[in-house]
Amino acid sequence: MSNIRRKKSAQFGSNSRLPTPSSTLVRNTKHRLAGIWLVLGLGTFGLVLRLFWLQIIDAPRLQRIARERQSITVTPFVPRRTIVDRANNQVAIDRPSYTIYAHPIKFGEVLFGKGLPRNGNRVGITPLDMAQRLAPILECSPQDLLKKFQQRKTGVRIGSDLGEDVKSRIKALKLEGIDIVQGELDYTRSYPQGDMMAEVLGYLDWEHKAQSGVESSQSLLLERKLTRYQLTKTGKGKILPDRVTPDYLHTDDLQLGLTVDLRLQRAARKALVDKMKEWNTRRGTVIVMDADTGALRSLVVEPTYDPNHYDKAVQNYSKIVGKERAPTLLQNSAVSDLYEPGSTFKPIAVAIALENKVIAPNTTFYDDGIVTVGKYNIRNSDKKGNGEISIAQILQHSSNVGMVKMMQRLKPDVYYNWLQHIGLGQKSGIDLPLEGRGEIRSRKEFIASPIYPANAAFGQGFSLTPIQLVTLIGSIANGGRLVTPHVVEGLFDSTGVRKDKPALPEPRQIFSATNAQAVLEMMETVVTTGSGVKAQIPGYRIAGKTGTSQKAVRGGYGQDDKKITSFVGILPVNGQHRYVVFAAVDEPKGKEKAFGSNVAAPIVKSVMESLILLDGIPPSDSSQVKPQPKVKE
């Protein structure tokens, strides 16, 4: 036993002890705790690092994403500005439009009456019966509606772009299976006066895009500024009302004012249409212009169309001229179409001769009924001579021979310079689209042959638009100034205060006031004793000039039915504020021969009578004035 103890003592040492199980467990536990703390430390560090990244480094990107998800950018629909006439009558306005859907499977009618339930009694309706009830309101045939009902059992669109009146009439029928829907952007341009001002207003197509008239030329004034709004929404997409700004649905109250008077427009159209029916004619126009300012009080073109249903006019014209040309017939021919003015240009030629001092107001010429120019013979329209006649008598009798002899005193190149000076071959600058540019021969061609200056003396061989002729005659009425014709007065607020006025060029002096007055007095004799007697109004001094211009056909003249009869008048001769009234009728056909004197002059007289009543123009001799009926409002 003692030997064994000595061996163990030698193996472990005299002071050594044997390991115990509890010390090993403690050591392992410490290692585990160190590992756990290390993991927790690393995790905490990672979380802190991640938070630092999210809160500091990546915060701008996350904030941007949050804003995008919590907000919505909205551009609210802004109605187009209203257009009003000179008397503040609405002639064009944006109104809500509706789409009508039919659900044939649910067709029915709710009856109300004595003995029936308070909520009414539902009765079924056949598709045919429904079609017959809706067709008159939707302006289509019952057969067309019935075909649509047979397409499907529900969700059949049977009408779109329908107005408030259509909606009210359908609702009044108390029908079931019919839905009337208005979208957020469902607005249509409405023209309350129908076709009365189509040539001035133009129209908007089905895409709400302007196609002609002031709707097109004045788009910048008619379209309100579009503003984008940033609104806040909930997680479900609902917009928070407390975040909507007060000006979200605000629009200005400005409206576009026109110079045109709806009452005069109505009177002028009636006078023109009545005369066109009498003479079985195809086209005509009436223009009334304030000679001092160039403001158009009336601009009528026939045939016209209803801008509320412009598509129907296009369809009708398509049958005549084809689909491609049909929309062009909706243009304003008084502004876009060229014609040879004929004798209505003679006062302008007289003014040119006076300016160049080749004649005086008392100069006379011998009119033997014919004058030879080169190899051509030029005659008066009646094939008769007038003997020795003054300048005023040349205009009274509309003597072609007298005009040719007068303008032969002026050198052709000087005459050509003056034709350019007064604006031939140029545009008038009217604020309506698609204005035609007048046409005149080149200087070289005009000077090369004496027949061209001779023809120009009585309004042949060049072309212009009706509106250009009116502005030229306006220079005779206003003391020799060439003004810019226009139909836009400016933007006005709801109180009538003008906020924006279009900038117009300064009037250009083309004739002296003395010579303009001399020609004006000559034109007055045309109405008192000459070819314009049918434009006379008792008690009023009126100047005017008739015109019967042949239309060039295949490079020549001579077809008696191919002509334009016209008359241009100035009222009042003795007033400081004068108006130019023009009427033209294309290819009139009647029992008697058509001239400007018996076709167009009566139209101008009728329009002037309405103008006198509307503006209260006083007579020069009240003893001759007859009571006139009131103009219809």
Side-chain angles (χ1 to χ4, degrees):
M1 288 293 294
S2 62
N3 291 335
I4 293 172
R5 287 193 184 98
R6 283 195 293 269
K7 287 180 180 180
K8 289 182 177 181
S9 177
Q11 184 178 355
F12 296 102
S14 57
N15 298 323
S16 297
R17 295 182 181 179
L18 292 175
T20 62
S22 61
S23 63
T24 302
L25 180 61
V26 169
R27 188 166 55 249
N28 291 340
T29 300
K30 290 180 178 180
H31 290 162
R32 290 190 186 98
L33 288 174
I36 291 172
W37 281 109
L38 177 63
V39 171
L40 290 174
L42 290 174
T44 303
F45 178 76
L47 288 175
V48 171
L49 186 63
R50 181 60 177 164
L51 287 173
F52 176 81
W53 176 265
L54 294 176
Q55 294 292 330
I56 306 300
I57 305 299
D58 204 25
R61 184 183 70 86
L62 296 176
Q63 290 172 355
R64 186 179 69 253
I65 294 174
R67 282 194 300 269
E68 290 176 354
R69 292 181 179 179
Q70 296 172 2
S71 64
I72 180 173
T73 301
V74 177
T75 303
F77 176 79
V78 180
R80 197 175 177 87
R81 288 192 174 105
T82 298
I83 304 177
V84 296
D85 81 329
R86 187 171 180 265
N88 208 39
N89 296 302
Q90 290 184 347
V91 293
I93 186 172
D94 267 11
R95 288 178 174 170
S97 65
Y98 302 90
T99 301
I100 312 297
Y101 291 93
H103 310 285
I105 196 173
K106 298 181 179 180
F107 280 170
E109 178 184 15
V110 180
L111 302 178
F112 295 89
K114 188 175 181 180
L116 296 177
R118 178 178 300 178
N119 295 330
N121 185 33
R122 185 185 184 282
V123 179
I125 295 179
T126 65
L128 177 60
D129 189 19
M130 182 68 78
Q132 290 174 341
R133 296 191 187 194
L134 293 177
I137 301 176
L138 298 177
E139 297 182 356
C140 62
S141 68
Q143 290 75 18
D144 290 341
L145 282 180
L146 194 58
K147 288 180 181 179
K148 292 182 179 181
F149 293 159
Q150 294 170 349
Q151 292 175 0
R152 60 181 72 163
K153 294 183 178 180
T154 184
V156 181
R157 189 170 72 171
I158 59 175
S160 58
D161 292 332
L162 302 176
E164 195 75 35
D165 57 333
V166 175
K167 169 193 170 185
S168 300
R169 292 172 63 188
I170 292 178
K171 277 197 167 185
L173 296 178
K174 307 294 183 183
L175 300 173
E176 289 193 350
I178 300 296
D179 283 341
I180 303 175
V181 179
Q182 182 199 2
E184 182 182 355
L185 303 181
D186 285 344
Y187 280 80
T188 188
R189 195 64 162 171
S190 176
Y191 302 92
Q193 310 301 332
D195 63 0
M196 194 53 62
M197 293 182 65
E199 51 276 273
V200 176
L201 297 173
Y203 65 95
L204 299 188
D205 63 15
W206 62 277
E207 292 182 318
H208 218 65
K209 293 182 179 179
Q211 296 299 322
S212 62
V214 294
E215 292 281 23
S216 175
S217 65
Q218 306 302 314
S219 284
L220 292 179
L221 291 179
L222 290 170
E223 293 176 355
R224 292 183 170 97
K225 182 181 178 181
L226 296 178
T227 303
R228 297 189 173 213
Y229 292 90
Q230 197 82 14
L231 304 179
T232 304
K233 63 180 181 179
T234 66
K236 294 183 178 180
K238 184 178 180 180
I239 296 176
L240 297 174
D242 60 326
R243 305 295 175 88
V244 178
T245 57
D247 62 340
Y248 174 64
L249 295 178
H250 173 73
T251 58
D252 62 65
D253 62 350
L254 299 181
Q255 52 190 14
L256 186 69
L258 302 181
T259 63
V260 178
D261 190 321
L262 181 62
R263 298 168 299 175
L264 186 61
Q265 184 84 351
R266 185 178 289 112
R269 190 177 298 281
K270 183 180 186 305
L272 177 62
V273 170
D274 288 348
K275 191 60 66 173
M276 288 176 64
K277 289 179 180 177
E278 178 184 341
W279 286 91
N280 190 28
T281 186
R282 51 195 296 260
R283 294 196 308 170
T285 186
V286 171
I287 302 173
V288 181
M289 186 185 80
D290 184 322
D292 188 54
T293 65
L296 297 183
R297 293 287 300 277
S298 179
L299 179 56
V300 173
V301 172
E302 283 289 337
T304 187
Y305 64 96
D306 185 348
N308 293 301
H309 307 288
Y310 72 90
D311 52 330
K312 293 183 179 179
V314 172
Q315 290 175 5
N316 292 335
Y317 287 140
S318 296
K319 298 175 183 177
I320 302 173
V321 298
K323 291 183 178 180
E324 292 185 359
R325 284 193 57 204
T328 64
L329 296 182
L330 303 185
Q331 297 174 5
N332 189 333
S333 59
V335 172
S336 62
D337 289 7
L338 302 178
Y339 84 113
E340 294 187 0
S343 295
T344 52
F345 184 76
K346 288 176 180 176
I348 304 301
V350 171
I352 292 174
L354 286 171
E355 288 289 318
N356 286 275
K357 296 181 173 55
V358 296
I359 62 168
N362 59 352
T363 301
T364 62
F365 292 91
Y366 188 79
D367 175 10
D368 54 3
I370 187 171
V371 60
T372 301
V373 180
K375 61 180 180 179
Y376 300 96
N377 291 325
I378 296 176
R379 295 181 172 84
N380 295 325
S381 60
D382 59 2
K383 307 297 190 295
K384 299 178 182 179
N386 296 290
E388 194 75 21
I389 55 176
S390 65
I391 306 300
Q393 289 172 327
I394 287 176
L395 295 181
Q396 293 169 25
H397 300 293
S398 201
S399 170
N400 294 338
V401 173
M403 288 301 304
V404 172
K405 289 184 176 182
M406 181 194 308
M407 300 312 291
Q408 282 178 334
R409 293 188 175 188
L410 194 63
K411 292 181 179 180
D413 60 334
V414 175
Y415 190 18
Y416 191 86
N417 288 340
W418 269 90
L419 293 178
Q420 288 187 319
H421 173 65
I422 64 175
L424 291 190
Q426 304 171 28
K427 296 182 179 181
S428 70
I430 189 172
D431 49 4
L432 289 173
L434 304 174
E435 182 184 6
R437 184 185 298 274
E439 295 180 354
I440 186 173
R441 299 178 187 277
S442 68
R443 176 186 295 274
K444 182 178 180 181
E445 189 177 7
F446 187 86
I447 297 174
S449 175
I451 191 62
Y452 298 136
N455 283 341
F458 54 91
Q460 280 190 356
F462 65 90
S463 60
L464 41 65
T465 62
I467 195 66
Q468 289 169 333
L469 178 72
V470 170
T471 58
L472 286 174
I473 297 298
S475 68
I476 302 298
N478 65 23
R481 296 177 302 112
L482 191 66
V483 297
T484 301
H486 59 279
V487 297
V488 175
E489 191 69 29
L491 285 178
F492 296 82
D493 64 16
S494 57
T495 64
V497 177
R498 180 157 51 191
K499 297 296 185 179
D500 192 322
K501 181 180 181 180
L504 296 174
E506 286 294 321
R508 184 164 57 91
Q509 194 79 32
I510 59 174
F511 303 126
S512 69
T514 300
N515 288 331
Q517 181 63 28
V519 177
L520 179 65
E521 293 173 0
M522 295 177 190
M523 292 176 66
E524 184 180 10
T525 67
V526 174
V527 177
T528 56
T529 60
S531 58
V533 293
K534 290 191 175 181
Q536 292 179 359
I537 299 176
Y540 288 87
R541 293 180 60 186
I542 298 169
K545 185 66 191 81
T546 55
T548 306
S549 54
Q550 293 176 307
K551 298 170 72 173
V553 181
R554 293 185 292 275
Y557 305 92
Q559 295 189 31
D560 190 60
D561 60 332
K562 300 296 182 182
K563 59 186 176 183
I564 297 175
T565 58
S566 58
F567 183 84
V568 59
I570 299 173
L571 169 81
V573 170
N574 60 313
Q576 294 298 318
H577 199 86
R578 299 178 181 132
Y579 296 93
V580 179
V581 182
F582 171 83
V585 176
D586 190 8
E587 298 185 10
K589 303 174 185 65
K591 295 180 180 179
E592 59 179 309
K593 203 165 184 178
F595 295 99
S597 57
N598 58 352
V599 178
I603 299 174
V604 170
K605 175 184 178 180
S606 177
V607 175
M608 283 184 170
E609 288 174 337
S610 298
L611 184 60
I612 288 170
L613 291 174
L614 290 172
D615 279 26
I617 300 174
S620 56
D621 185 357
S622 58
S623 64
Q624 299 182 30
V625 178
K626 297 179 181 179
Q628 297 289 336
K630 291 184 178 181
V631 177
K632 184 179 179 181
E633 293 292 334

